[in-house]
Amino acid sequence: MYTEDSIRDIVAAQRKYFRSGETLPIKWRIQQLKRLKAAVLARQDELIAALQADLGRSELEAYLCDIGPIITEVNEMISGLRRWSRPEIHFSGLMCWPSIFTKVYKMPYGVCLVISPFNFPILLTIGVVAAAMCGGNTVVIKSSSKSAASTAALKKFFAEVFPPDYITLIDGGHDVADMCLAQRWDKIFYTGSPSVGKHVLAEAAKNLTPVALELGGETGNWCVVRKDADLKDAARKIAFFKLLNAGQICININQIAVAEEVAEDFLRELKAAFVAQISEHPETNPEYPKLITNTAYDKCAKLADEYRNRIIFGGIGNKENRQYAPTMIYPVAIDEPIVQHELFCPLLPIVPFKDAEVDSLMDVIADREHPLAMYIFTKNMRWANRVMQTYQFGGGCINEVCIHMMVKGVPFNGTGHSGMGAYHGEWGFREFTHPQTVLKGSTHFNLSLREHPYSGEAGKKKMKLLRLFER
């Protein structure tokens, strides 16, 4: 059992270790990242088994969504860290004469708290910890109590691979999380819901601790299917994504808006895609993931029952296994409650709209909280590019789903109710480092320009020089 005193001791030990300077050398950081990668590869069977126990994830899906992305991410860090960490050198400018050069060092924050979620407990723990390590920090992890098997596997993993003064994992419920948040940290990274994100931010504000939040979005992620879209292609990709982790994904499609001119054809294609990929009875298919808890299952089933008369596919589940079929609900009006909050389950409400009124639809979406992702299917690239460049959301795809977050070298996260900050690759290094500006002064040839007197002839001459320098 953890107490505030025991957690405070853990933080103090890590702060002492950080201040020793052990984590600063780039060569040392690369060695630790290589150790992390080797440990993931060596223990992947244990991690995959934990994902199977918590979420019913098959071996292939676990590797696709957790193990593989971690290896790719760490490889990018190992190859890029020397370049990312080089100090920037800037010309100081005439105003700073005779100091010629100023450097910007990329300094680690120090002792970091990483609070990870249940839906991708391996990826969103090890992946974020890797970014913190890349930046030269120490890390305390508070993992989710909902994904108990993964938390146990991760606790064993980190204890065997790294000393606790460098990386350590704390398990427990919300009470333990609050004890963690009560400590003074140098950086906090939280992944989860907007409601808890507000709590994390409020607690961090007490110590003015910088925070990164990766949130799902208050009103969910939209997928817009226009009448000129390739319906079979769109349905195939949407079905794959909604089946993935049984919809428990922060960037998953929360609701679809489909042009009513092609709605019947699209619905037929989407049903066929679900059946082709997971069979007519996914609730008994061992490859289909399960909901994380009985409470999550009951919440999903209850909401489905509220829309029972509009369910056109799915709507059945297996409570014993916590599997609930992907469920299409049609038609749904854009102002109904089900499309105004994040679902985080296999339910898929579908909103018809007139294609000629698509811009009005987009304005309604824009008036709600910023989503973490946006997906649009259309052949009208002019319209699609305008949407992607003028609407606010975390990231997205045109005629594709989810794989924008797998691209190397690009940032991932949301804005507003879907998050703050960004990570992945170099962006993760930036998120866990502070740009520290240092000017090196000279003891010779210093101008008296900045010194008094500011009036009289001397002041006039200084003013002329100031105006000259500032051009």
Side-chain angles (χ1 to χ4, degrees):
M1 292 291 293
Y2 294 98
T3 65
E4 285 198 26
D5 287 340
S6 65
I7 294 173
R8 189 178 298 111
D9 289 343
I10 292 170
V11 177
Q14 288 211 354
R15 198 171 302 283
K16 181 179 179 181
Y17 184 73
F18 174 75
R19 287 177 177 167
S20 74
E22 184 78 13
T23 68
L24 295 182
I26 302 305
K27 182 179 179 180
W28 185 87
R29 296 188 215 175
I30 292 174
Q31 289 173 345
Q32 304 316 305
L33 289 168
K34 288 180 177 178
R35 179 183 292 181
L36 178 69
K37 173 186 169 182
V40 171
L41 290 172
R43 295 164 171 82
Q44 60 181 295
D45 290 345
E46 296 175 38
L47 300 176
I48 289 172
L51 290 168
Q52 169 66 31
D54 286 329
L55 292 154
R57 203 173 287 168
S58 68
E59 181 180 2
L60 193 149
E61 187 169 329
Y63 195 91
L64 172 70
C65 295
D66 288 79
I67 307 301
I70 289 171
I71 300 306
T72 302
E73 181 91 352
V74 175
N75 282 340
E76 184 180 357
M77 292 175 184
I78 291 169
S79 63
L81 180 54
R82 291 191 187 279
R83 183 175 69 257
W84 304 338
S85 61
R86 289 190 194 118
E88 296 176 13
I89 301 176
H90 297 260
F91 173 58
S92 300
L94 293 174
M95 288 289 291
C96 299
W97 178 266
S99 299
I100 299 174
F101 297 113
T102 296
K103 290 187 177 182
V104 179
Y105 297 97
K106 287 69 176 287
M107 298 298 295
Y109 279 103
V111 183
C112 301
L113 173 65
V114 171
I115 305 176
S116 57
F118 72 81
N119 61 327
F120 286 89
I122 305 300
L123 173 65
L124 297 180
T125 299
I126 298 178
V128 178
V129 169
M133 293 168 60
C134 187
N137 304 276
T138 68
V139 187
V140 174
I141 306 150
K142 169 58 186 76
S143 56
S144 176
S145 58
K146 292 181 180 179
S147 48
S150 296
T151 290
L154 286 167
K155 188 169 187 177
K156 179 174 177 283
F157 174 90
F158 285 113
E160 291 176 348
V161 179
F162 299 111
D165 291 356
Y166 178 38
I167 310 287
T168 194
L169 186 145
I170 293 174
D171 52 10
H174 296 305
D175 56 333
V176 176
D178 281 339
M179 285 190 283
C180 287
L181 288 169
Q183 308 303 314
R184 182 173 68 85
W185 304 94
D186 299 307
K187 177 80 174 186
I188 297 174
F189 193 110
Y190 167 78
T191 304
S193 68
S195 59
V196 178
K198 294 175 186 177
H199 175 64
V200 171
L201 202 57
E203 292 301 303
K206 294 176 181 177
N207 289 308
L208 296 179
T209 302
V211 176
L213 302 174
E214 196 228 296
L215 312 175
E218 194 78 32
T219 50
N221 308 311
W222 282 87
C223 175
V224 179
V225 180
R226 296 199 62 182
K227 70 176 183 180
D228 64 347
D230 183 325
L231 301 181
K232 184 181 289 291
D233 178 71
R236 179 182 176 185
K237 291 170 178 174
I238 291 167
F240 147 75
F241 197 24
K242 198 63 183 179
L243 290 170
L244 200 66
N245 209 34
Q248 299 166 109
I249 305 177
C250 57
I251 59 168
N252 212 324
I253 295 166
N254 202 69
Q255 56 265 317
I256 299 173
V258 61
E260 60 183 31
E261 294 90 338
V262 295
E264 293 303 320
D265 291 338
F266 171 73
L267 296 174
R268 184 173 60 253
E269 293 288 356
L270 186 55
K271 290 177 187 177
F274 276 130
V275 172
Q277 293 182 36
I278 202 70
S279 80
E280 292 186 11
H281 296 286
E283 73 281 358
T284 59
N285 190 322
E287 287 190 1
Y288 183 54
K290 59 187 177 183
L291 294 167
I292 187 65
T293 61
N294 288 331
T295 300
Y297 179 94
D298 291 341
K299 182 179 179 182
C300 174
K302 181 182 178 182
L303 187 56
D305 285 342
E306 292 177 16
Y307 289 84
R308 179 63 55 186
N309 62 338
R310 282 183 274 173
I311 290 176
I312 60 172
F313 181 84
I316 51 177
N318 181 339
K319 187 169 184 178
E320 183 179 351
N321 295 332
R322 301 201 307 272
Q323 291 173 299
Y324 201 91
T327 299
M328 297 164 57
I329 303 171
Y330 179 86
V332 177
I334 198 168
D335 57 353
E336 291 191 54
I338 195 171
V339 293
Q340 296 198 52
H341 65 91
E342 186 181 24
L343 298 173
F344 225 65
C345 68
L347 302 187
L348 188 56
I350 302 169
V351 177
F353 70 95
K354 290 182 172 62
D355 194 75
E357 299 174 3
V358 66
D359 289 334
S360 296
L361 167 79
M362 299 308 297
D363 286 342
V364 172
I365 295 172
D367 282 340
R368 296 178 182 175
E369 300 299 347
H370 304 323
L372 184 57
M374 174 76 74
Y375 307 103
I376 54 179
F377 287 86
T378 180
K379 294 184 178 70
N380 187 339
M381 289 301 106
R382 184 176 180 179
W383 177 83
N385 288 328
R386 178 172 62 83
V387 167
M388 290 300 185
Q389 294 175 51
T390 55
Y391 286 79
Q392 292 173 296
F393 50 90
C397 302
I398 301 170
N399 295 324
E400 191 48 275
V401 294
C402 79
I403 58 175
H404 63 289
M405 69 170 293
M406 300 173 67
V407 180
K408 286 186 177 182
V410 300
F412 171 71
N413 208 1
T415 176
H417 281 239
S418 57
M420 59 178 66
Y423 75 119
H424 284 188
E426 184 176 4
W427 294 85
F429 171 80
R430 295 181 191 177
E431 189 62 53
F432 281 97
T433 54
H434 167 66
Q436 192 163 290
T437 301
V438 177
L439 179 146
K440 184 178 181 181
S442 172
T443 57
H444 303 288
F445 310 111
N446 284 284
L447 298 177
S448 60
L449 183 63
R450 59 190 172 185
E451 300 165 6
H452 285 275
Y454 291 164
S455 58
E457 286 300 316
K460 290 178 182 179
K461 290 178 182 179
K462 290 176 182 179
M463 182 62 78
K464 287 180 181 180
L465 286 172
L466 284 171
R467 286 174 174 162
L468 177 66
F469 290 166
E470 289 174 351
R471 287 183 179 178

